C-alpha cells in the first residue's frame, strides 16, 4: 500500500485543515510513493523511536509531535534533528506527523482525553472552528465537561493518574482541599495558554501539562486549580488509539506496531 494512500486515510480521521496556523503536520520526510508494509506509531520521533523503526524494518513512521517545527537550512549530522532525518532517509522511512489537527479533530485527542476522565456534556475549551463534515458543530483545543461525580481537586488528581496510567501529577491551587467540583477542563499537551479559556468556562479545575511556576500560582490566585499531568502524560493515548485505528482501516494489508510507552520525566 502506498504511503500517500495511508495519508489519505489518516486525513479522513484528522484533516490538516484543522491544524493551527503555526503548526507543521504532514509528510515531513520521505516518499509519498513508498510502498508501506510496516508502520510504527509514536508520540515523538526520538532517537529511540527512529532506531526502533529502522530495526523492525518500518516503511513509515507516524508521530503526534512533528520533528520539524521551524524552517531548517541544513540537514547534516551536526545536530540531533539532522541526524534523525538522515536516519529516516537512509532507511527509506516515510515520516508523517499529525499534531494540532489530531488535537482538534472530532473523536481525536480532546474527545479521547475527556472520555478517559468520564466527562459528559462536553464542549470545546477553546473554539477554533466548526466540524468540517457537519459545518455546524464547534471544534477546538481541549474539552470542558461535567465530572462523573462531584469530587475534590485531590480526587480529580487521583482520577487523572488512574485513567492515564501516570506515576505522578503536580497541582496548583489545592489550598481549599474541601471544595467540591462538578466540572473540569482538560487540554492535553502544553496548557499554559489554556488557563485563560478555562477561567472563562464553568470549570474551576484544568487538567493539562507543561505548567510553569508563575502560570500555576497565577491561575490559583484567580481561583483555578491546575493539575499538571505532564505533556506526554496526557498525550500518550495517541499511540494506542492510532494503532487501533490503522489496524481497523488497513486490516492485514499493513502491519502496525506501537512504540513502547516511555515517560520522559522521573521523580527521585
Amino acid at each position: 500500500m502506498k504511503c500517500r494512500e495511508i495519508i489519505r486515510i489518516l486525513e479522513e480521521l484528522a484533516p490538516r485543515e484543522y491544524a493551527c496556523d503555526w503548526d507543521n503536520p504532514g509528510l515531513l520526510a520521505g516518499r509519498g510513493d513508498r510502498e508501506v508494509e510496516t508502520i510504527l506509531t509514536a508520540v515523538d520521533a526520538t532517537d529511540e523511536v527512529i532506531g526502533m523503526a529502522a530495526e523492525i524494518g518500518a516503511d513509515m513512521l507516524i508521530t503526534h509531535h512533528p520533528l520539524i517545527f521551524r524552517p531548517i537550512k541544513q540537514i547534516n549530522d551536526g545536530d540531533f534533528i539532522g541526524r534523525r532525518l538522515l536516519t529516516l532517509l537512509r532507511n527509506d522511512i516515510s515520516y508523517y506527523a499529525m499534531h494540532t489537527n489530531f488535537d482538534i479533530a472530532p473523536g481525536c485527542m480532546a474527545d479521547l482525553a475527556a472520555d478517559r476522565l468520564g466527562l459528559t456534556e462536553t464542549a470545546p475549551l477553546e473554539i477554533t472552528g466548526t466540524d468540517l463534515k457537519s459545518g455546524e458543530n464547534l471544534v477546538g483545543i481541549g474539552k470542558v465537561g461535567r465530572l462523573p461525580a462531584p469530587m475534590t481537586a485531590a480526587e480529580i488528581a487521583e482520577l487523572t493518574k488512574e485513567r492515564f496510567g501516570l506515576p505522578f501529577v503536580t497541582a496548583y491551587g489545592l489550598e481549599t482541599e474541601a471544595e467540591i467540583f462538578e466540572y473540569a477542563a482538560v487540554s492535553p499537551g502544553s496548557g499554559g495558554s489554556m488557563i485563560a479559556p478555562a477561567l472563562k468556562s464553568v470549570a474551576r479545575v484544568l487538567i493539562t501539562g507543561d505548567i510553569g511556576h508563575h502560570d500555576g500560582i497565577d491561575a490559583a490566585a484567580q481561583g483555578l486549580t491546575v493539575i499538571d499531568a505532564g505533556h506526554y502524560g496526557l498525550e500518550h493515548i495517541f499511540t494506542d488509539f492510532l494503532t487501533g485505528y490503522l489496524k481497523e482501516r488497513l486490516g492485514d494489508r499493513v502491519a502496525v506496531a506501537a512504540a513502547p510507552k516511555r515517560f520522559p520525566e522521573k521523580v527521585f
Side-chain angles (χ1 to χ4, degrees), residues 114 116-120 145-151 156 159 163 181-184:
R116 282 230 178 182
L117 292 168
L119 300 185
T120 57
R146 184 184 291 274
L147 288 158
M151 56 185 72
I156 297 170
L159 176 71
R163 296 291 173 88
F181 299 90
E182 294 188 22
Y183 293 89

Side-chain angles (χ1 to χ4, degrees), residues 18-23 25 64 98-105 141:
Y18 283 129
C20 297
D21 292 340
W22 51 262
D23 200 9
H64 180 46
M98 46 199 314
H99 190 209
T100 53
N101 52 320
F102 186 85
D103 289 335
I104 292 169
I141 301 289

Side-chain angles (χ1 to χ4, degrees), residues 120-134:
T120 57
E121 303 171 26
T122 59
L125 179 56
E126 183 178 54
I127 296 168
T128 58
T130 56
D131 187 328
L132 293 174
K133 292 181 180 178
S134 71

Side-chain angles (χ1 to χ4, degrees), residues 1 7 15-16 20 45 66 76 109 121 123 130 141 253 259 261:
M1 193 171 189
I7 289 173
R16 273 189 283 176
C20 297
N76 56 47
M109 190 71 83
E121 303 171 26
T130 56
I141 301 289
R253 291 176 292 174
K261 187 184 298 183

